[in-house]
Amino acid sequence: MDQFKFLKKFALKKRKKLVIALTCLGFVSVSNLVYPWLFKILIDHLVGDSSKADELNIPFLTILLTIVMILSTIFGYYTNILMQELGYRLRNDVRNEFFKSLLYKPLSFFKNEQVGGLTSRATEDIGKLQGLFTGLVAPVFQNVLFIAGCLLLMLQLNQPATGIVTVIILSAIPVIYYFSKKVKMYSAKSQREHASANAIMDETLTGIRDVKAFVLEALRLKKYSSRSGAALQEEMHSARYQAKSTQSVFIIISLLLLLIFYFGVSGISTWSPGSAAAFYFYAYSLTMAFLTLGRAYGQYNSISGATQRIVELIGDVDSYNGFLVQKNSVKIEGKIEFRNVSFGYSDEKLVLKNISFTVNNGEWFLITGPSGSGKSTIANLLLGFYEPDTGSVLLDNIGLNEIDLDLLRSNIGYVGQEAVLFEGTIRENILISGKQHGNTKLDEILKISLADSFINELPQGLNTNIAERGVTLSAGQRSRIAIARALVIDPAILILDEANSMLDEELETELWKNLYEHRKNRTTIIFSHHTDAIPKVYKHLQIPFNH
Ligand code: ADP
C-alpha cells in the first residue's frame, strides 16, 4: 500500500468534521483579505480622494465588518480545536493499527527487528502524523485561498505590478523545493539514528541486571550517546538547510517589496496613494503566505517520510486480519504427531532432521536432548510459530496448516523457561486469557502449581501488583505463576519447556508429582534436560544434536 492511500484511509475517517473545519477556515482566510482594502479607503480619504469613501455607508460597513470579525474569531477557534482533534485521532488510530499489525506478525518478523526501533516508530514517526491537519492541511488550504484572493484584489489595484510580483514569487518555488529536499533527506537520516539510539536504551533497560552485573553502565551510555550524537549531526544539517530556505525566501520578499517601492515612487506606475498602500500590504501578506506554504512543504516531507516508514512495517493494512479465519474449529483432543519433520531457522542449517514421534491424547511425554538440540524448536512448531521445511505436524490427525492457529493456541497451555509476566496483579496475570474453562478452581490450581504458599505470605495475596516484567518476584515464583496461568485455561495440551529449571530440587519433585496426578485427560509434553525428578516416564524422545 502506498503512503498516500494509507494516510487517506485514516485521515478521512472523520470527513464531516474535516469539511466543517475547512469551511470555517475558508471564512477566516477570506475575511483576512478585508484589512488592506480598508487601509486603502482610509488613506485615500485622508489624502482627499474621498469620493470612494463617500459612496460607502461607513457606519453600516463598520458594523458589518465587526460582525464578520466576531464570526471569524469564533470560526478560527473551532477550526483550531477541530484540526487538533483530527490530528490526535489520526495519531491514535494509526498507533492502534500499528500495534495491531505488529501483534499479528509472525514470530519470524521480530527476529530482524529491534523492539526499541519499533517503539520509536510508534512514538516519533506516528507522532509526526499528528501535525497533518494543523501543520499541513490547514495552512495549505488557508494560504492557497488567501493567495488566490490577494492576487484577485491586487489585479484590481494594478495589473503590471501584480504580474511582476507573481513572477518573482514563482521564482522562489524551485529554491524552496531544493532546500526542502535536503531537509527531508537529513531528517530521515536523523530519524534512523534516533530509532537506533532508542533501541539501545530499550535493550539496556530490559537487561539492566546484566548491565549492572557486568558494570556496563558507562559503555552502554557511550554507545547511546554516540547514536544520539549522530542524530544531532543530521539534525544540524537539516536545520542549516531549513534556515537557508527561510533566508532565501526573505531575500526574495525584500527584493519584491523594494521593487514595488521603486515602481511606486518613480512613477512608472500610477495609482492612488490608498491603492499603493493596499497593494504593498497585499504583496507583503502574499509573500508571507508563500513562506508558510514553504514550511508546510517541509511538514509534508516529514509526514510523508514518517508515513513511508510506518507503511513499510505495517504492510498492506487490508491483507491481514489476524488469524480470524476459522479453518477448522473442531474440539481439540490432544493427539500430536510429528511426521518426518525437518526444520531450520535459516536455509544454511537444519535444527531438526527427520524427526518423527506420536503423543496420544492424555499421554505424559518427555522430550530430552542437549542444550541447543532443538527442544524449544519443537515447541515452536507445535504452537504454529513456524512451519516445518519438510514433513508435517499433525494435531488430532489434522495438519496444523489446516487448523485455525488461534484455536490451536488457546487449547495449549505453554510454560517457557523464562516466565514473562505483565503489569497488573498476580490474579490478573493468572487469569490473563480471560477464560476459565469448566469448573476449574483457582485455589486448586494454585496448590497444584505450588504458587499458593508464597502468594498466601504476601500481604495482598493474589491482589499483589507485579511490577513491570515481574521483577519483584523471584524467578522460581514467576515460573509457578506461569504454570498456574497455563493450567487455568484447562488446556488439552500442556507444554512445559524447561519450566522446572528455576525451581529447587524439593519443589521440583513436588511440582512434577502434582502435575502428574492432575493431568486428567490432558496431553503433557515436557521438555527438559534434567529429568530425575519427573515421574512415570514411559514415553521418552531423545533428540540428537544434528547441527
Ligand atoms: P534447545 O531448546 O534444545 O536448547 P533450541 O530449539 O532453542 O534448542 O535451539 C536449537 C538451535 O536453533 C540452536 O542452535 C539455536 O541457536 C537455534 N535457534 C533457536 N531459536 C532460533 C531463532 N529464533 N532464530 C534462529 N535460530 C534459532
Side-chain angles (χ1 to χ4, degrees):
M1 181 184 263
D2 84 11
Q3 69 222 60
F4 298 106
K5 224 168 118 191
F6 175 85
L7 210 53
K8 210 172 109 195
K9 177 179 146 97
F10 290 95
L12 294 183
K13 267 190 173 174
K14 294 273 164 200
R15 265 166 236 255
K16 250 194 216 156
K17 283 196 172 170
L18 183 60
V19 170
I20 296 173
L22 290 179
T23 313
C24 291
L25 193 59
F27 186 88
V28 174
S29 181
V30 172
S31 65
N32 283 340
L33 289 166
V34 168
Y35 293 107
W37 207 267
L38 294 182
F39 198 45
K40 168 183 151 38
I41 297 173
L42 176 71
I43 292 187
D44 282 345
H45 177 73
L46 289 178
V47 297
D49 181 8
S50 55
S51 51
K52 288 270 160 47
D54 291 343
E55 284 168 22
L56 298 166
N57 182 345
I58 298 294
F60 173 74
L61 186 68
T62 312
I63 291 171
L64 183 74
L65 289 178
T66 310
I67 295 170
V68 169
M69 290 316 143
I70 290 173
L71 280 180
S72 171
T73 310
I74 295 170
F75 286 173
Y77 172 80
Y78 280 110
T79 308
N80 225 318
I81 305 250
L82 280 172
M83 290 293 185
Q84 296 273 10
E85 183 192 332
L86 288 169
Y88 294 149
R89 275 183 195 278
L90 170 72
R91 179 206 57 198
N92 280 10
D93 288 348
V94 175
R95 269 200 193 137
N96 286 342
E97 190 73 32
F98 184 73
F99 187 40
K100 179 178 160 200
S101 90
L102 291 185
L103 283 174
Y104 286 107
K105 291 248 184 249
L107 210 57
S108 50
F109 167 85
F110 294 92
K111 221 170 67 183
N112 308 319
E113 291 288 339
Q114 289 170 303
V115 172
L118 294 175
T119 45
S120 156
R121 290 207 195 167
T123 48
E124 296 197 22
D125 277 342
I126 300 180
K128 282 195 179 133
L129 303 193
Q130 191 180 313
L132 176 73
F133 296 98
T134 45
L136 184 60
V137 174
V140 168
F141 183 78
Q142 182 175 13
N143 286 291
V144 165
L145 251 185
F146 186 78
I147 288 169
C150 265
L151 285 173
L152 272 177
L153 294 170
M154 284 161 80
L155 277 174
Q156 302 279 320
L157 296 169
N158 192 314
Q159 287 176 6
T162 309
I164 293 170
V165 169
T166 310
V167 169
I168 293 182
I169 285 183
L170 288 180
S171 68
I173 291 177
V175 179
I176 295 179
Y177 181 75
Y178 169 76
F179 287 127
S180 298
K181 277 256 166 262
K182 293 278 182 193
V183 170
K184 182 181 177 182
M185 183 181 86
Y186 287 111
S187 305
K189 282 187 179 173
S190 79
Q191 207 59 48
R192 275 195 289 276
E193 297 294 353
H194 273 305
S196 110
N198 282 351
I200 292 168
M201 186 188 279
D202 196 84
E203 193 175 81
T204 307
L205 294 179
T206 308
I208 191 72
R209 284 192 57 194
D210 294 64
V211 169
K212 287 190 179 293
F214 286 93
V215 202
L216 297 177
E217 289 94 335
L219 273 176
R220 298 302 293 177
L221 183 61
K222 197 170 153 206
K223 207 168 170 192
Y224 177 80
S225 337
S226 104
R227 291 269 62 85
S228 56
L232 177 75
Q233 292 291 325
E234 304 299 352
E235 276 163 340
M236 284 316 297
H237 282 305
S238 169
R240 264 177 227 122
Y241 277 105
Q242 184 72 57
K244 280 180 192 167
S245 167
T246 311
Q247 291 317 114
S248 4
V249 175
F250 266 118
I251 289 187
I252 292 168
I253 293 175
S254 313
L255 185 68
L256 184 75
L257 295 175
L258 287 173
L259 260 179
I260 299 169
F261 169 76
Y262 175 76
F263 285 136
V265 175
S266 64
I268 291 177
S269 205
T270 48
W271 45 17
S272 74
S275 299
F279 192 89
Y280 211 80
F281 217 147
Y282 281 125
Y284 182 78
S285 309
L286 188 72
T287 46
M288 283 301 163
F290 262 97
L291 198 63
T292 312
L293 282 186
R295 281 203 206 101
Y297 182 65
Q299 184 81 356
Y300 160 81
N301 279 334
S302 152
I303 289 176
S304 85
T307 313
Q308 197 177 339
R309 287 188 291 275
I310 297 161
V311 172
E312 270 164 24
L313 269 184
I314 288 189
D316 203 336
V317 180
D318 300 323
S319 73
Y320 72 87
N321 54 0
F323 296 113
L324 300 177
V325 190
Q326 204 79 348
K327 289 190 202 161
N328 205 328
S329 54
V330 287
K331 185 178 175 321
I332 286 178
E333 300 289 341
K335 180 184 173 192
I336 289 158
E337 192 180 345
F338 268 53
R339 237 182 240 168
N340 307 318
V341 169
S342 295
F343 174 80
Y345 290 97
S346 60
D347 294 339
E348 296 98 58
K349 175 173 106 168
L350 276 185
V351 175
L352 300 174
K353 224 181 257 170
N354 209 21
I355 297 279
S356 295
F357 65 90
T358 305
V359 192
N360 291 313
N361 315 353
E363 269 182 350
W364 177 260
F365 192 85
L366 175 68
I367 298 180
T368 55
S371 177
S373 58
K375 299 186 293 296
S376 297
T377 304
I378 291 184
N380 284 342
L381 292 175
L382 254 173
L383 282 154
F385 289 150
Y386 300 92
E387 285 183 20
D389 296 335
T390 55
S392 46
V393 179
L394 298 105
L395 174 70
D396 297 341
N397 304 319
I398 303 169
L400 278 200
N401 52 357
E402 288 171 40
I403 295 175
D404 171 37
L405 287 178
D406 275 358
L407 176 83
L408 166 75
R409 290 171 190 164
S410 56
N411 276 281
I412 293 181
Y414 172 77
V415 186
Q417 195 166 353
E418 269 189 53
V420 176
L421 302 182
F422 299 96
E423 209 276 323
T425 63
I426 295 181
R427 184 194 302 278
E428 283 163 354
N429 265 280
I430 294 175
L431 301 176
I432 200 138
S433 56
K435 9 180 179 166
Q436 256 180 297
H437 292 306
N439 296 322
T440 328
K441 287 193 197 83
L442 192 53
D443 283 351
E444 193 190 337
I445 284 171
L446 294 180
K447 278 204 181 76
I448 299 171
S449 60
L450 303 179
D452 60 341
S453 51
F454 81 86
I455 292 175
N456 291 340
E457 278 170 24
L458 296 168
Q460 288 176 293
L462 274 171
N463 297 325
T464 306
N465 209 65
I466 300 172
E468 210 177 354
R469 294 180 200 278
V471 283
T472 51
L473 296 172
S474 76
Q477 289 168 336
R478 290 208 303 271
S479 69
R480 281 181 273 165
I481 291 180
I483 292 169
R485 179 167 70 189
L487 290 177
V488 91
I489 61 167
D490 196 15
I493 301 160
L494 179 65
I495 298 177
L496 301 158
D497 186 4
E498 302 282 4
N500 51 343
S501 60
M502 299 293 175
L503 300 176
D504 61 44
E505 224 177 289
E506 199 183 319
L507 276 179
E508 195 195 335
T509 310
E510 204 182 332
L511 178 72
W512 287 126
K513 192 170 136 282
N514 286 355
L515 288 174
Y516 184 77
E517 279 171 11
H518 293 91
R519 72 192 187 286
K520 291 193 276 179
N521 298 322
R522 168 183 309 139
T523 306
T524 310
I525 304 182
I526 305 155
F527 296 88
S528 182
H529 63 269
H530 74 278
T531 55
D532 298 345
I534 304 173
K536 317 265 185 204
V537 176
Y538 304 122
K539 274 183 106 176
H540 176 191
L541 171 79
Q542 231 171 335
I543 41 173
F545 199 92
N546 266 320
H547 40 97

